Amino acid sequence: MVYTTNSAEETERLAAELAAKLDAGDFVALRGDLGAGKTAFARGLARGLGVRRTVLSPSFTLMRMYTEGRLPLYHFDMYRLSGPEDLAEIGFDEYAEGDGVCVAEWAERAGAALPQRYLDIYIEGSADLPRRITVSEAGEG
C-alpha cells in the first residue's frame, strides 16, 4: 500500500491507525532519508498504542521503552549502530520477538539481525513536502 501525507501530523495519524492492527511480536522497520519522517511515524505508532508521554528518537541510546500502552513499544534507532554486536549487547532478539511491538528507525542498518518477518515502511520526502509512505510485508515465514 502507498499513502501520501502532507505534514508530520498526518504521518503520525497514519501510523496511529496502523498501530491498531499490530500485535505482540510485530516488528516495524522504518526506512527513509534523514528528515523523511521516521520519528514522526514512530510517535504515531506510540500514540496508537496508547503511549501518552513524549516520544523521542533514541539516537544516542539505541532503544527507548514505552510500557504504558496497550502493548509495550520498543523504539530503536539504528543510525549509530556500529555492528550487530551492539544489538546483541542490549538483547535485541528478546525485544524483536517479545511481548510488545518493535519499531526501528534506520532498520536497514541491522542487516541480518532483522526478524524473519516484519512490516517494511519506506518514507520518501522531507521537511514540509508531501511524504510518500510505502507499507509492505517483508521477510519470510
Side-chain angles (χ1 to χ4, degrees), residues 90-110:
I90 64 166
F92 177 74
D93 289 342
E94 288 87 35
Y95 293 112
E97 298 169 2
D99 63 344
V101 171
C102 286
V103 60
E105 298 184 41
W106 300 99
E108 65 273 17
R109 294 180 184 238

Side-chain angles (χ1 to χ4, degrees), residues 38-140:
K38 295 178 293 296
T39 302
F41 200 95
R43 270 195 311 266
L45 282 179
R47 297 284 179 265
L49 289 172
V51 174
R52 296 292 167 232
R53 63 185 160 126
T54 302
V55 173
L56 303 171
S57 181
S59 294
F60 296 100
T61 59
L62 193 59
M63 195 258 304
R64 290 185 190 267
M65 186 181 321
Y66 303 92
T67 57
E68 67 273 17
R70 174 176 68 85
L71 294 166
L73 178 67
Y74 306 110
H75 181 192
F76 293 88
D77 185 327
M78 300 180 176
Y79 185 76
R80 288 179 172 70
L81 196 66
S82 60
E85 61 279 354
D86 289 351
L87 293 174
E89 286 177 18
I90 64 166
F92 177 74
D93 289 342
E94 288 87 35
Y95 293 112
E97 298 169 2
D99 63 344
V101 171
C102 286
V103 60
E105 298 184 41
W106 300 99
E108 65 273 17
R109 294 180 184 238
L114 286 176
Q116 286 185 347
R117 286 184 349 105
Y118 57 92
L119 196 59
D120 185 52
I121 311 288
Y122 181 60
I123 306 173
E124 299 172 88
S126 63
D128 289 330
L129 299 174
R131 287 169 172 81
R132 178 185 162 112
I133 301 172
T134 305
V135 178
S136 59
E137 290 187 30
E140 50 190 70

Side-chain angles (χ1 to χ4, degrees), residues 3 5 9-19 41 133 135:
Y3 303 90
T5 62
E9 293 79 17
E10 284 184 21
T11 299
E12 288 183 31
R13 274 196 299 275
L14 174 64
E17 291 171 12
L18 174 67
F41 200 95
I133 301 172
V135 178

